[in-house]
Amino acid sequence: MGAIEGILTGFEVALSLEGILFVLLGVFVGTFIGMLPGLGPISAIAIMIPITYGMNPTLALVMMAGVYYGAVFGGSTSSILLNAPGISGTVASSFDGYPMAQNGQAGKALAIAAIASFIGGTISVILLMAFAPMLSSVAISFGPPAYFALMLLGLTAIASLSEGSTIKALISAVIGFIVATIGIDPQTGTARYTFGSTNLLDGIDFLIIALGLFAIAEVGYLIINRFKKSATDGKQLGSLKLSKQDMKEIAGPSGRQSILGFVLGILPGAGATIASFISYISEKRIAKKPEQFGKGAVKGLAAPEASNNAATSGSFVPLLSLGIPGSGTTAVMLGAFLVLGVQPGPMLMGDNPEIFWGIIASMYIGNIFLLILNLPLIPYIARVLTVPRPLLISLVIVFSLIGVYAISFSTFDLYLLLAFGVIGFLMRMFAFPAPPFILAFILGGMMEQSFRQAMTSSNGDISIFFTNNISLVLIILSVLSFAFPIIKSVREKKKTA
């Protein structure tokens, strides 16, 4: 079956009455799940696996795919309004989305997020339709040396995430690296920094750190400044209309970062979280006014939102074409495929074209549904900011506790959440930026593992990083990325001298 015939088969499935209903149900559930801090698509899909047993596999998988990208679409809501990321992939959205909400532009921020997410999702689906069969080879070509170099490139941007002192940003990143090493060593099986506690053997979940450093720390800040009025206290939600200038600022970052997010999403293990951070950083690097980022910049919100939605579609490339999950959520999706009697991989396109192309086509329909669902609901969603501050603080705490407890049903994780909340609050009080901590934690584990795998495969020969073409190019880009801000700073000092 050719690509055109496959696409038509996919739309035939997605546009059938049952297909439309299951897509709509999936994206609606996903959006709602994404709005609740801590729950995320993994839990939702895991719950749905036994429910969908015995159903038509195509419709069941279309619905679960809808839950996945619907959760990423809706996850920005709590990040923007409460500074409590709904899922890990929307942490970067809070960097500029939350300041916009605090400045009385909550409606505008939610509208930008919805439109950027739609653009990212749409572009990525088009790329998925056009290149899915051949993109699997790209994923395979990324071995441990290339992954290490890619993570290194991401880390060179730590200085870009600093909100003043670069030294403080580096200290924050080092602490993130240290926390990433906690748990069982993946290669030797040795316990590291667990202090004899079995609760730390699996390491610390990313969501605990994200909710602690952002949501619980924000609660502490709101309590300390409870007598200080903010722009949202006057119940001014701001206009939902976007000006032509706003649309221009959305278009460029959304287009660029959709492509970058899709490419990063293809790589197994990268996912929406890493894609959103790298897109935010790269957009800040090329911005004419980078000083506006972190203070409510339109581009700073549009870039990660387009990227994380594009990465969601990209993560289906290794799953559908190779049978390799590209993220934690697609790993659960792989289990759903197998339970339903479908084997993803190279033979899926030939043996079950209605499933392969049906899932891809349903993503396009689902993105349209998501835009239609979310835009009219913005005035009602944004009203969460009109809730009295004491009640709002209580809601943030409750949702954060429920979200963390739902991960492992461990009370120890609740203590960790409180601990990271205190750390986040102190970091905020002493002007230590949290984003470098988060970035180092995300990349640290994968970077260490890739480095050790590369060294093992080369018998300790470090030249493997320079003989591999992909890793060599990425290392050169890392050096340039690190040197560029230094050169720029030196030139500015010479001009002012």
Side-chain angles (χ1 to χ4, degrees):
M1 181 181 288
I4 301 298
E5 292 177 355
I7 292 171
L8 293 175
T9 300
F11 276 108
E12 186 178 342
V13 171
L15 292 174
S16 65
L17 179 60
E18 296 90 347
I20 290 174
L21 289 175
F22 277 91
V23 170
L24 185 59
L25 177 62
V27 298
F28 179 79
V29 171
T31 302
F32 180 74
I33 291 292
M35 290 179 184
L36 302 177
L39 295 184
I42 294 180
S43 303
I45 293 173
I47 293 169
M48 283 185 170
I49 290 176
I51 298 173
T52 57
Y53 186 76
M55 283 177 53
N56 181 319
T58 304
L59 296 176
L61 292 169
V62 160
M63 180 177 67
M64 283 190 269
V67 171
Y68 181 20
Y69 55 82
V72 176
F73 199 106
S76 59
T77 302
S78 55
S79 291
I80 291 170
L81 299 182
L82 306 174
N83 203 24
I87 61 172
S88 58
T90 60
V91 171
S93 302
S94 66
F95 297 165
D96 282 279
Y98 185 67
M100 288 182 74
Q102 291 298 100
N103 292 331
Q105 297 178 308
K108 179 179 177 180
L110 290 171
I112 291 169
I115 293 171
S117 296
F118 174 74
I119 293 172
T122 303
I123 290 176
S124 64
V125 171
I126 293 171
L127 293 173
L128 189 58
M129 286 180 173
F131 303 113
M134 55 179 275
L135 283 174
S136 56
S137 60
V138 175
I140 294 175
S141 64
F142 265 72
Y147 269 108
F148 171 79
L150 180 64
M151 300 303 108
L152 182 65
L153 178 60
L155 286 174
T156 59
I158 284 176
S160 298
L161 292 174
S162 62
E163 298 166 0
S165 172
T166 304
I167 298 298
K168 288 184 177 181
L170 292 173
I171 293 172
S172 179
V174 168
I175 297 172
F177 270 125
I178 293 171
V179 174
T181 62
I182 295 174
I184 293 287
D185 186 311
Q187 280 196 288
T188 65
T190 306
R192 302 187 299 187
Y193 306 113
T194 59
F195 304 101
S197 173
T198 56
N199 293 297
L200 291 173
L201 290 176
D202 291 331
I204 300 175
D205 192 275
F206 171 76
L207 207 56
I208 295 172
I209 295 173
L211 287 175
L213 293 183
F214 290 96
I216 302 301
E218 183 64 28
V219 165
Y221 181 79
L222 289 175
I223 292 173
I224 294 295
N225 296 278
R226 58 188 179 278
F227 300 116
K228 181 181 177 182
K229 287 190 175 182
S230 68
T232 56
D233 290 337
K235 306 189 188 303
Q236 296 296 319
L237 303 179
S239 174
L240 305 182
K241 294 182 180 180
L242 300 178
S243 64
K244 288 184 179 179
Q245 181 61 31
D246 291 331
M247 293 304 296
K248 285 181 181 179
E249 290 189 42
I250 293 171
S254 297
R256 288 188 294 269
Q257 306 309 332
S258 295
I259 297 172
L260 178 59
F262 178 74
V263 172
L264 291 172
I266 293 170
L267 306 178
T273 306
I274 291 177
S276 61
F277 269 92
I278 292 179
S279 292
Y280 180 86
I281 293 163
S282 63
E283 196 61 41
K284 184 177 180 180
R285 282 274 178 91
I286 63 175
K288 293 181 179 178
K289 298 179 180 179
E291 66 279 0
Q292 294 181 354
F293 279 63
K295 300 175 182 177
V298 172
K299 292 181 178 180
L301 176 57
E305 277 299 296
S307 182
N308 61 26
N309 279 269
T312 303
S313 299
S315 66
F316 277 88
V317 171
L319 176 65
L320 297 176
S321 301
L322 301 172
I324 301 172
S327 63
T329 309
T330 51
V332 179
M333 282 286 294
L334 175 60
F337 270 88
L338 298 177
V339 168
L340 293 166
V342 180
Q343 178 62 57
M347 303 301 293
L348 180 63
M349 191 187 304
D351 294 343
N352 301 100
E354 72 283 356
I355 294 177
F356 184 92
W357 292 107
I359 291 174
I360 294 175
S362 71
M363 292 180 185
Y364 187 79
I365 307 300
N367 273 289
I368 295 174
F369 281 152
L370 283 168
L371 192 67
I372 295 171
L373 278 173
N374 281 270
L375 282 179
L377 292 176
I378 285 175
Y380 306 100
I381 295 171
R383 290 192 181 278
V384 71
L385 292 178
T386 66
V387 175
R389 185 172 288 190
L391 181 57
L392 184 61
I393 289 172
S394 303
L395 287 173
V396 172
I397 293 173
V398 168
F399 279 128
S400 297
L401 291 174
I402 291 173
V404 167
Y405 189 73
I407 297 171
S408 60
F409 301 100
S410 169
T411 53
F412 182 78
D413 286 349
L414 299 181
Y415 293 121
L416 283 178
L417 174 67
L418 178 61
F420 279 104
V422 173
I423 292 171
F425 176 74
L426 292 174
M427 289 175 68
R428 182 162 182 172
M429 294 300 292
F430 292 100
F432 281 82
F437 184 113
I438 294 288
L439 182 64
F441 177 80
I442 293 170
L443 300 182
M446 191 180 296
M447 188 176 183
E448 179 197 7
Q449 187 173 352
S450 298
F451 179 80
R452 293 173 69 179
Q453 286 174 344
M455 295 302 288
T456 301
S457 64
S458 66
N459 293 319
D461 185 1
I462 201 167
S463 65
I464 189 174
F465 296 104
F466 304 101
T467 54
N468 181 286
N469 292 333
I470 297 176
S471 63
L472 178 61
V473 170
L474 290 172
I475 287 172
I476 292 171
L477 289 175
S478 300
V479 172
L480 294 175
S481 177
F482 181 77
F484 179 73
I486 298 174
I487 296 171
K488 185 178 179 181
S489 176
V490 170
R491 284 182 176 178
E492 288 177 355
K493 286 182 179 179
K494 285 183 177 180
K495 286 181 180 179
T496 55

